[in-house]
Amino acid sequence: MIELEGVPELVDPVMVAAFEGWNDAGDAASTAVAHLDREWKGEVFAALDAEDYYDFQVNRPTVWLDGGVRKITWPTTRLSVVRVGGEKPRDLVLVRGIEPSMRWRSFCNEILGFAHELGVELVVIMGALLGDTPHTRPVPVSGVTSDADLARTMDLEETKYEGPTGIVGILQEACTHAGVPAVSLWAAVPHYVSQPPNPKATLALLNRLEDLIDLRIPLGELPEDARAWQLGVDQLAAEDSEVAEYVQSLEEARDTAELPEASGDAIAREFERYLRRRDGGGPAAGQAGGHATESGEAAPFLRDNPSGRPRPPKPQRPGADDEGTADSADDSSED
């Protein structure tokens, strides 16, 4: 039985969830929820029983010292609440954890139990996938739903995905069957720089979330991190002609595919975003990096080669099979 005695009555609550693992390329989604929790000082009010959902040989507990006393932290999923003030106050219920190893239906039912008790009006689940997308272009973020009415009212795609799925897809379908409006936001991460962190993809997810729920999100150092990340990848790609050539081919394919996007509607949406951010509450006027189009941070993910110089892993050629890699970043967003 779920008891929430310590949680205050929430204002228009939205549940935002992300899970480490298969649905979290570059740790972009879980980092986005961690950012919200940190910036708005979330207070944890519940944690799921790790014994019920995790294989500890896959996700091992960690041992640490607290004042000389040994303690154990178990892999789990935690829920916290953040109270967002301003002209339009709205509270968020943040769900952050690891994709469960077992009992996914029970796991989703438990999450939905919290959503019901808290009066959650919308569930937003964030994920990230590997795609054939260049790091030099804005990060594609797809918003998808299984609800045809929600797709129309919120300008989302109605999912048509068929194939293997992760906890993001399962939780969204569980929400749909329970009558809870649910949306998945998917960021496409370049597969040739897939190692975490990816602050540019995290920033893109937060920008899309901001638009979706009409809530200004403090971005902190993310825009700066995103610029540094892109600069680092630019420099390393320039050192390898094969990588540079491959990135250029991805850029050309992306630019050609997006020519129809230079429409009046697309320009109007970007101008509205600019106005929202310029009017207080968002990034300060003139501050670069408020958009997913801003670049970003150095590459701690890169491995050393025999010469001692870091370089990116060889890019995977299009068409190669790789679990979790999308053939097309925009078309293969999972449900």
Side-chain angles (χ1 to χ4, degrees):
M1 182 176 180
I2 297 172
E3 297 181 2
L4 299 172
E5 295 179 0
V7 180
E9 185 174 350
L10 304 182
V11 178
D12 299 332
V14 173
M15 179 177 278
V16 182
F19 303 94
E20 299 173 21
W22 199 65
N23 293 146
D24 193 25
D27 290 353
S30 58
T31 302
V33 174
H35 176 87
L36 297 174
D37 192 70
R38 182 174 58 252
E39 290 294 323
W40 277 318
K41 298 177 174 57
E43 297 181 9
V44 175
F45 65 86
L48 304 192
D49 189 341
E51 196 85 8
D52 290 339
Y53 303 114
Y54 294 99
D55 179 346
F56 300 137
Q57 291 182 327
V58 176
N59 297 290
R60 292 186 178 272
T62 56
V63 180
W64 54 286
L65 290 175
D66 181 15
V69 178
R70 293 175 70 81
K71 295 188 175 182
I72 297 175
T73 299
W74 296 93
T76 188
T77 292
R78 293 179 173 83
L79 290 85
S80 59
V81 62
V82 298
R83 315 221 66 178
V84 184
E87 295 180 5
K88 296 181 179 179
R90 160 162 263 179
D91 296 330
L92 300 182
V93 178
L94 305 180
V95 181
R96 181 162 62 105
I98 304 168
E99 182 178 67
S101 308
M102 60 194 79
R103 301 184 182 93
W104 283 19
R105 286 177 291 187
S106 298
F107 180 88
C108 292
N109 287 337
E110 194 163 352
I111 297 295
L112 283 169
F114 283 108
H116 175 73
E117 291 294 324
L118 293 167
V120 166
E121 299 178 347
L122 175 70
V123 175
V124 181
I125 316 159
M126 293 196 285
L129 50 80
L130 301 180
D132 291 331
T133 182
H135 72 277
T136 53
R137 295 293 185 265
V139 176
V141 177
S142 300
V144 296
T145 181
S146 299
D147 187 320
D149 293 333
L150 199 62
R152 285 192 298 272
T153 58
M154 301 190 77
D155 192 24
L156 301 167
E157 299 174 36
E158 188 176 355
T159 181
K160 302 297 183 185
Y161 175 80
E162 295 179 300
T165 189
I167 195 61
V168 172
I170 297 299
L171 181 54
Q172 177 168 318
E173 291 307 307
C175 290
T176 300
H177 291 302
V180 179
V183 175
S184 296
L185 299 181
W186 287 95
V189 171
H191 64 80
Y192 57 92
V193 278
S194 60
Q195 293 88 341
N198 190 318
K200 186 173 180 180
T202 295
L203 180 61
L205 281 168
L206 290 175
N207 282 336
R208 185 63 185 272
L209 177 67
E210 185 177 62
D211 291 341
L212 185 71
I213 63 177
D214 192 23
L215 188 68
R216 293 188 179 93
I217 297 173
L219 297 177
E221 297 179 357
L222 262 179
E224 181 66 23
D225 292 343
R227 279 191 294 272
W229 179 88
Q230 180 163 324
L231 179 61
V233 180
D234 283 345
Q235 292 172 341
L236 288 159
E239 295 176 1
D240 189 313
S241 59
E242 184 180 350
V243 173
E245 181 182 349
Y246 182 62
V247 171
Q248 184 179 359
S249 69
L250 292 178
E251 290 173 338
E252 292 171 354
R254 173 76 178 274
D255 293 344
T256 301
E258 291 194 344
L259 284 176
E261 286 299 311
S263 64
D265 288 344
I267 294 170
R269 284 196 298 270
E270 286 304 310
F271 185 62
E272 287 171 3
R273 175 193 282 274
Y274 164 74
L275 291 178
R276 281 198 304 273
R277 292 183 180 280
R278 199 184 71 167
D279 298 337
Q287 175 182 337
H291 299 272
T293 55
E294 293 298 328
S295 351
E297 170 63 301
F301 48 78
L302 300 172
R303 299 187 293 244
D304 291 338
N305 62 19
S307 68
R309 292 192 309 163
R311 63 188 298 172
K314 289 292 184 182
Q316 183 178 358
R317 291 297 182 183
D321 290 328
D322 182 21
E323 185 179 63
T325 301
D327 292 331
S328 169
D330 294 320
D331 295 335
S332 47
S333 298
E334 209 191 283
D335 42 349

